[in-house]
Amino acid sequence: MHELAITQNILDIAINEAKAAQASQITKIRLIIGELSGVVGECIQFYFDFLKKDSIAQNASIDFETVPAELHCRDCQTSFKLEDSSWACPCCRSTNLEITNGQSCFIESIEVE
Amino acid sequence: MKRIKVLKNIASANDAIAAQNRGLLDRYNILAINLMSSPGAGKTSLLLGTIAHLRHQLRLAVIEGDIASKIDADRISKEGIPVVQINTGGSCSLEAHMITNALEKLPLKTIDLLFIENVGNLICPAGFSLGEHRKVVVSSIAEGDDKPAKYPIMFSLADAVVINKIDLLPLQEFDLAGFHKKVTGLNPRVTIFEVSCKSGHGIEAWCSWLLQQLQNHRKT
Ligand SMILES: Nc1nc2c(ncn2[C@@H]2O[C@H](COP(=O)(O)OP(=O)(O)O)[C@@H](O)[C@H]2O)c(=O)[nH]1
Ligand SMILES: [Mg+2]
Ligand SMILES: [Zn+2]
């Protein structure tokens, strides 16, 4: 359900950036979603189509890129992508793991006219 | 057509408000603790145990976040502790602006330690900083030992993890050593407490940690 608040944030950030660049409309928003961020792209899409009406983003589409979770083993220094939910290093089975990628969700760029 | 690099976290507006909350708390010398867990892990029970233990040493206050009800706020209010209820109206996490409103309703001049009970959820609250000084995750024996693997972000952000309902250990298959290992693997700085809010086991160690955090905070 927090996708409604998140989508509003996305729209606000995009509109502020577009206005700062003196653009008259937004045509695309590129969103990077970390696999571990808990953000669901389909929900964002759903709320986006609803919230964008009557704004300078009304003709904008939203592009998603999902970034997989990446971990670093503090014991054997292996870096790896999370393939399953076993949560252990594929080389040494250690659970001494640092999350190095896939935790956040951010707007990479927007396209404006 | 023009492309503009943005590279802004979707919670950046929230983070700015959280920073303001923290500034306000710091002006009043208040330490704020954000308590997060799945529904039913024992956040309110832990608060009640903590209040009983610390109420004569510290001036406590509570912000209760809930999707709709005010049952938890009533439980706290019976103890004579200042409490503000926030109903998120369906949203699955407290957000910083809700805390800003709640702080206006609290007697900030007479608070040492403020607890914020977040909405029962282990995913969404990880993304929304509230302006708190410490994040605490409560996980209970009843929920099973796979929580750190399922919600790694939450556990990697925590300053402390409380393993509650430790009294259920004889009744439940739960790899306690494995749980400790997974949590400290994700988060080497974390402090872990084994607690039973039912028997009172571990409440004292948890309260000592809180007192220590308050002392450290006031030194800085
Ligand atoms: N056996 C046992 N039950 C507990 C313990 N702590 C809380 N509970 C029970 O767990 C349920 C949920 O507790 P509550 O504090 O409301 O959880 P919250 O949703 O995280 O605030 C209640 O029925 C409590 O009585 C404990 O240490 N042991
Ligand atoms: Mg509760
Ligand atoms: Zn390894």
Side-chain angles (χ1 to χ4, degrees):
Chain A
M1 176 60 199
H2 72 313
E3 268 80 5
L4 178 58
I6 284 178
T7 310
Q8 187 64 57
N9 288 348
I10 292 168
L11 199 58
D12 291 345
I13 294 171
I15 289 174
N16 283 337
E17 293 283 334
K19 284 189 174 154
Q22 265 133 37
S24 60
Q25 67 167 326
I26 302 173
T27 50
K28 187 171 279 183
I29 298 177
R30 273 182 56 79
L31 192 69
I32 311 285
I33 302 180
E35 187 189 346
L36 297 174
S37 70
V39 174
V40 182
E42 292 91 79
C43 299
I44 303 273
Q45 182 74 61
F46 173 81
Y47 289 121
F48 184 72
D49 291 339
F50 167 74
L51 292 171
K52 72 181 184 183
K53 283 176 198 151
D54 301 323
S55 79
I56 61 167
Q58 62 184 341
N59 296 318
S61 62
I62 194 159
D63 263 14
F64 302 100
E65 185 186 330
T66 305
V67 175
E70 279 173 39
L71 304 172
H72 176 79
C73 174
R74 291 198 192 88
D75 289 331
C76 74
Q77 311 304 325
T78 304
S79 288
F80 61 98
K81 290 198 168 76
L82 192 63
E83 301 287 342
D84 51 30
S85 62
S86 69
W87 207 259
C89 171
C91 294
C92 73
R93 308 309 297 164
S94 167
T95 52
N96 198 4
L97 305 174
E98 184 185 354
I99 303 167
T100 51
N101 209 356
Q103 60 278 59
S104 62
C105 177
F106 61 95
I107 300 182
E108 193 266 337
S109 62
I110 59 175
E111 288 176 13
V112 298
E113 274 166 8
Chain B
M1 194 274 284
K2 192 171 142 214
R3 189 145 173 264
I4 306 172
K5 273 257 176 253
V6 179
L7 299 179
K8 269 199 183 145
N9 193 291
I10 50 166
S12 52
N14 179 76
D15 292 348
I17 301 171
Q20 287 174 10
N21 291 345
R22 188 190 274 235
L24 180 63
L25 292 163
D26 286 344
R27 238 173 292 140
Y28 287 95
N29 232 338
I30 299 170
L31 182 78
I33 310 276
N34 185 359
L35 271 183
M36 297 171 282
S37 82
S38 315
K43 296 178 298 301
T44 309
S45 305
L46 183 67
L47 282 179
L48 291 169
T50 307
I51 289 166
H53 207 270
L54 288 179
R55 63 179 309 149
H56 299 297
Q57 292 168 68
L58 294 178
R59 297 167 301 175
L60 308 170
V62 176
I63 295 175
E64 276 293 340
D66 213 319
I67 286 178
S69 84
K70 64 190 251 306
I71 300 170
D72 286 349
D74 291 343
R75 284 162 78 191
I76 302 289
S77 173
K78 274 207 192 98
E79 304 296 317
I81 299 291
V83 56
V84 177
Q85 171 77 51
I86 299 174
N87 283 136
T88 60
S91 183
C92 50
S93 173
L94 288 173
E95 292 168 38
H97 66 90
M98 302 173 186
I99 301 302
T100 309
N101 293 338
L103 289 176
E104 281 172 17
K105 296 179 196 146
L106 283 171
L108 299 180
K109 278 186 200 146
T110 54
I111 298 171
D112 300 308
L113 190 55
L114 171 66
F115 294 98
I116 304 169
E117 177 175 338
N118 216 315
V119 177
N121 183 322
L122 277 174
I123 299 178
C124 313
F128 292 97
S129 165
L130 305 176
E132 73 276 16
H133 303 92
R134 301 287 186 277
K135 292 183 197 291
V136 174
V137 173
V138 182
S139 193
S140 73
I141 298 293
E143 294 164 77
D145 52 22
D146 61 351
K147 286 289 167 295
K150 276 198 178 141
Y151 306 104
I153 300 289
M154 191 57 108
F155 284 89
S156 72
L157 292 174
D159 295 289
V161 170
V162 173
I163 311 175
N164 187 33
K165 312 197 188 179
I166 207 84
D167 56 284
L168 297 179
L169 213 44
L171 310 173
Q172 181 110 10
E173 210 167 294
F174 190 100
D175 177 6
L176 192 57
F179 187 96
H180 276 265
K181 237 174 99 187
K182 283 214 177 83
V183 174
T184 48
L186 272 170
N187 183 346
R189 296 162 293 103
V190 77
T191 309
I192 304 177
F193 299 96
E194 295 177 5
V195 168
S196 167
C197 293
K198 198 174 173 191
S199 74
H201 174 93
I203 293 287
E204 189 156 351
W206 153 250
C207 288
S208 304
W209 182 83
L210 289 170
L211 285 166
Q212 188 64 53
Q213 302 309 304
L214 186 63
Q215 262 182 23
N216 295 350
H217 182 63
R218 292 197 162 163
K219 265 188 242 143
T220 55

